Amino acid sequence: MAQNCLKCLKYTMCAANFLCFMCGVVVLGFGVYMLVNFRLAALTPALANFNLSNMLLISGIVITCVSFLGFLGALKENRCLLLTFFLLLFFLMLIELTLACLLLVYEDKIGELMTKDLNNGLEKAKAKNSTRVISDWDLLQDNFQCCGVKNYTDWGDDVPSSCCSGPCGKKPIYNQKGCLEMLKNFFEENFLTTGISVIVLCIVEVLGMCFAMTLFCHISRSGLGYKL
């Protein structure tokens, strides 16, 4: 009976990790596609390299590598791979929880840094040294129906057409709300969804750790698999 349960655990772990591996490949492929076909997140100096495509690439690489270790370790009943899989999941969970705590504790400080960085990005766009920065501001202002950091006066006398709430004529009507306020509202509205996603991810990681350690202990007791 115990052997059947452990076999079931082994193949369940293989199937789950294979599914995660395929998801990681999809995320990685989508990140490559966005990197090649879209030019985003030059909005602020700090976000020039920390953009959505790079985040997807990093996430895809991490998911594929970790899930591959779990799949191979369970399939081959390799204690070394299972222990590595367990430790990687443990460190990833610690990183996620640490980041969540830092976001909660330093929420005001992060808001100040975001304001400063947006202002720096706006000054760069006003100088018109980079068409990429200008196009990203246009994209942000179109999607969030905002203008500037605090309001349209941030642009001075050269307000872009993306700030218009309607057709830009001789007397254009600009969006009154700044992009900083709209971004804060967006993050606050999605805070609950993000929190639930982090909790679900942590639960999945804890289950993966439990499965890996259970299989590891069984292999150690039975003398199967490769020795450490």
Side-chain angles (χ1 to χ4, degrees), residues 5-45:
C5 290
L6 286 168
K7 281 186 178 181
C8 180
L9 176 63
K10 171 184 173 178
Y11 292 116
T12 300
M13 190 172 171
C14 286
N17 278 287
F18 179 75
L19 182 61
C20 290
F21 178 82
M22 296 306 297
C23 291
V25 171
V26 172
V27 171
L28 184 60
F30 191 59
V32 173
Y33 174 78
M34 290 195 65
L35 186 65
V36 172
N37 293 281
F38 296 96
R39 297 183 302 170
L40 298 174
L43 189 61
T44 66

Side-chain angles (χ1 to χ4, degrees), residues 7-219:
K7 281 186 178 181
C8 180
L9 176 63
K10 171 184 173 178
Y11 292 116
T12 300
M13 190 172 171
C14 286
N17 278 287
F18 179 75
L19 182 61
C20 290
F21 178 82
M22 296 306 297
C23 291
V25 171
V26 172
V27 171
L28 184 60
F30 191 59
V32 173
Y33 174 78
M34 290 195 65
L35 186 65
V36 172
N37 293 281
F38 296 96
R39 297 183 302 170
L40 298 174
L43 189 61
T44 66
L47 294 178
N49 295 315
F50 189 68
N51 54 43
L52 183 59
S53 58
N54 288 341
M55 290 174 65
L56 288 173
L57 284 173
I58 294 171
S59 300
I61 292 171
V62 171
I63 292 170
T64 51
C65 290
V66 174
S67 58
F68 180 75
L69 280 176
F71 173 80
L72 196 60
L75 183 66
K76 297 294 185 180
E77 296 185 356
N78 188 312
R79 290 187 297 166
C80 183
L81 292 178
L82 287 172
L83 185 59
T84 304
F85 175 71
F86 174 87
L87 291 174
L88 285 175
L89 285 182
F90 179 72
F91 286 128
L92 285 174
M93 188 175 66
L94 283 183
I95 292 171
E96 291 160 9
L97 293 176
T98 302
L99 288 176
C101 292
L102 289 175
L103 286 174
L104 289 174
V105 173
Y106 295 103
E107 183 179 357
D108 294 335
K109 185 67 176 179
I110 292 171
E112 292 175 5
L113 292 174
M114 186 176 180
T115 303
K116 181 180 179 180
D117 207 40
L118 281 172
N119 284 321
N120 292 336
L122 183 66
E123 291 301 320
K124 187 177 179 181
K126 286 166 66 176
K128 296 183 179 179
N129 294 327
S130 172
T131 55
R132 183 180 177 185
V133 178
I134 297 172
S135 64
D136 282 344
W137 270 99
D138 288 335
L139 181 64
L140 177 70
Q141 291 173 156
D142 279 333
N143 290 336
F144 285 90
Q145 297 297 303
C146 58
C147 187
V149 178
K150 295 182 179 179
N151 51 53
Y152 69 92
T153 59
D154 293 335
W155 286 100
D157 297 329
D158 190 14
V159 183
S161 58
S162 58
C163 281
C164 297
S165 58
C168 287
K170 293 183 178 180
K171 293 183 178 181
I173 300 175
Y174 300 119
N175 295 311
Q176 298 299 311
K177 292 186 177 181
C179 293
L180 178 62
E181 180 184 352
M182 299 301 288
L183 284 171
K184 285 183 177 179
N185 292 338
F186 174 78
F187 287 122
E188 288 174 0
E189 290 171 0
N190 292 276
F191 181 78
L192 181 61
T193 304
T194 304
I196 293 173
S197 301
V198 172
I199 292 171
V200 171
L201 184 59
C202 287
I203 292 172
V204 171
E205 288 171 346
V206 169
L207 288 174
M209 290 164 59
C210 292
F211 288 173
M213 188 51 61
T214 302
L215 197 56
F216 176 87
C217 293
H218 167 69
I219 295 169

